[in-house]
Amino acid sequence: MPDKLPPAVETVDTSYLEGLVGYNASRAAITVIELFLQRMAVYGMRQVDFSVMSLVTHNPGITSRQLCAALSIQPPNLVAMINALEQRELIVRKPHPRDGRAVGLHLTPTGQKLMHDAERTAQELELDATRRLTAAERKTLIRLLQKVYL
Amino acid sequence: MPDKLPPAVETVDTSYLEGLVGYNASRAAITVIELFLQRMAVYGMRQVDFSVMSLVTHNPGITSRQLCAALSIQPPNLVAMINALEQRELIVRKPHPRDGRAVGLHLTPTGQKLMHDAERTAQELELDATRRLTAAERKTLIRLLQKVYL
DNA sequence: TATTGTTATACTCTATAACTATA
DNA sequence: TATAGTTATAGAGTATAACAATA
């Protein structure tokens, strides 16, 4: 008679984790971000670069501090990103009209062209990432996610 | 007459980003994970440790490879986590019944007690993190998130 | 030959302390 | 004294290559 051996797991049961909002939100975010990274590679932007560029697009003159607050980025970590975007001539720093300490960020014409294309790509990507959702479901999903973090 | 100065941004307009599923899923995930980290601190576990422990709980004998596949962790990065959990005497490695290369992971009695409490804490935390959602909305949110990543 | 678990290592991301110029 | 921007640096997280043991 053989010794009793520990059981082997055939298929992994993840049902407990799948009942948690945090687990599901993380998995969904990772899936969308991976697709985002693939499609944005042609623009040389990661998710965070796109977020920064998008906020500069819709808020010309925004300061580094405002970007940090809006995106939960630590100021020292934003410096290299801004430098890189400036070296690529996508954004320019201009003096702030009322605060000599601050610098306003603006898109260059090149940056405007790039973001025009990138935001269109982002819209297409959104529809692909949520292709199993109806338009109404997609709207509901965003509304419920905002109820969690706002 | 003064020179024309660039405009200053009063309040940051984030409406474009708020229309993207990826942005919202990321923000929601970060919010829940931060609360998770606070509440799980008493158990000395981060989100990933809890996920590993939970899968071992519901899949006794699960292997490292199965954990890596289920949680999208690279095998080298799991080693230190498993070692730490074993040193805390929360899990034990037992020989796999049919594969001499593999090792099955199991909870110790201490690990079982800890996870009994930790999973109860996770349930409470879930309700707190989604306190602005009705039970039906919470269920809908999970269903829609799974439609994105599954 | 392929797979499990592992070591070593590099790379990225994120966080903290401290400085300067200006408010 | 407080804030915007910056530098340097440390720590955490993640990824790749290569190895021994076993299939």
Side-chain angles (χ1 to χ4, degrees):
Chain A
M1 194 173 179
D3 282 354
K4 194 168 68 177
L5 284 171
V9 174
E10 302 304 329
T11 55
V12 177
D13 175 12
T14 56
S15 58
Y16 178 82
L17 292 178
E18 280 166 10
L20 301 176
V21 170
Y23 177 81
N24 287 287
S26 296
R27 296 295 298 244
I30 289 169
T31 298
V32 178
I33 289 171
E34 278 179 0
L35 184 61
F36 203 97
L37 201 60
Q38 290 170 20
R39 302 281 184 91
M40 286 293 158
V42 292
Y43 305 109
M45 291 195 289
R46 302 160 299 164
Q47 188 208 29
V48 64
D49 301 309
F50 177 84
S51 298
V52 166
M53 286 290 285
S54 182
L55 286 183
V56 176
T57 301
H58 300 287
N59 300 271
I62 191 171
T63 67
S64 291
R65 283 284 157 164
Q66 288 175 314
L67 279 173
C68 287
L71 297 174
S72 298
I73 300 173
Q74 299 303 316
N77 298 332
L78 186 65
V79 176
M81 297 183 213
I82 299 292
N83 286 341
L85 293 172
E86 196 176 33
Q87 280 192 317
R88 291 175 62 190
E89 298 185 1
L90 300 177
I91 61 174
V92 284
R93 298 179 215 232
K94 295 184 185 176
H96 190 278
R98 294 191 310 278
D99 190 335
R101 299 168 302 180
V103 179
L105 301 172
H106 302 259
L107 291 190
T108 63
T110 306
Q112 285 173 25
K113 286 193 201 78
L114 184 117
M115 280 309 288
H116 178 266
D117 294 345
E119 288 196 341
R120 190 162 38 75
T121 299
Q123 295 297 339
E124 293 168 6
L125 176 164
E126 277 285 305
L127 295 178
D128 289 344
T130 58
R131 67 191 179 282
R132 295 186 196 87
L133 272 57
T134 66
E137 284 177 330
R138 193 174 161 286
K139 203 172 164 186
T140 299
L141 174 55
I142 289 178
R143 182 175 60 81
L144 295 180
L145 285 169
Q146 288 176 354
K147 278 183 133 181
V148 171
Y149 77 82
L150 282 183
Chain B
M1 196 173 178
D3 283 355
K4 194 168 68 176
L5 282 170
V9 174
E10 302 304 330
T11 55
V12 177
D13 174 11
T14 57
S15 58
Y16 178 82
L17 292 178
E18 281 166 9
L20 301 176
V21 170
Y23 177 81
N24 287 286
S26 296
R27 297 294 298 241
I30 290 169
T31 299
V32 178
I33 288 171
E34 277 179 1
L35 184 60
F36 203 97
L37 201 59
Q38 291 170 17
R39 301 282 183 91
M40 286 292 158
V42 292
Y43 305 109
M45 292 195 291
R46 301 159 302 165
Q47 188 207 30
V48 63
D49 301 308
F50 177 84
S51 298
V52 166
M53 286 290 285
S54 182
L55 286 184
V56 176
T57 301
H58 299 287
N59 301 271
I62 192 172
T63 68
S64 290
R65 283 284 157 163
Q66 288 176 313
L67 279 173
C68 287
L71 297 174
S72 298
I73 301 172
Q74 300 304 316
N77 298 332
L78 185 65
V79 176
M81 297 183 213
I82 300 291
N83 286 342
L85 294 171
E86 195 175 33
Q87 279 191 318
R88 291 174 63 190
E89 298 186 359
L90 299 177
I91 61 173
V92 285
R93 298 180 215 233
K94 293 184 185 177
H96 190 279
R98 295 191 310 279
D99 190 336
R101 298 168 303 181
V103 178
L105 301 172
H106 302 259
L107 290 191
T108 62
T110 306
Q112 285 174 24
K113 285 193 202 78
L114 184 116
M115 280 309 287
H116 178 267
D117 293 346
E119 288 196 341
R120 190 161 41 72
T121 298
Q123 295 297 338
E124 292 168 7
L125 175 165
E126 276 286 305
L127 295 178
D128 289 343
T130 59
R131 67 191 179 283
R132 294 186 196 88
L133 273 56
T134 66
E137 283 177 330
R138 193 174 161 284
K139 203 172 165 185
T140 298
L141 174 56
I142 289 177
R143 181 175 61 80
L144 296 180
L145 286 170
Q146 288 176 352
K147 277 183 136 181
V148 171
Y149 76 84
L150 282 184

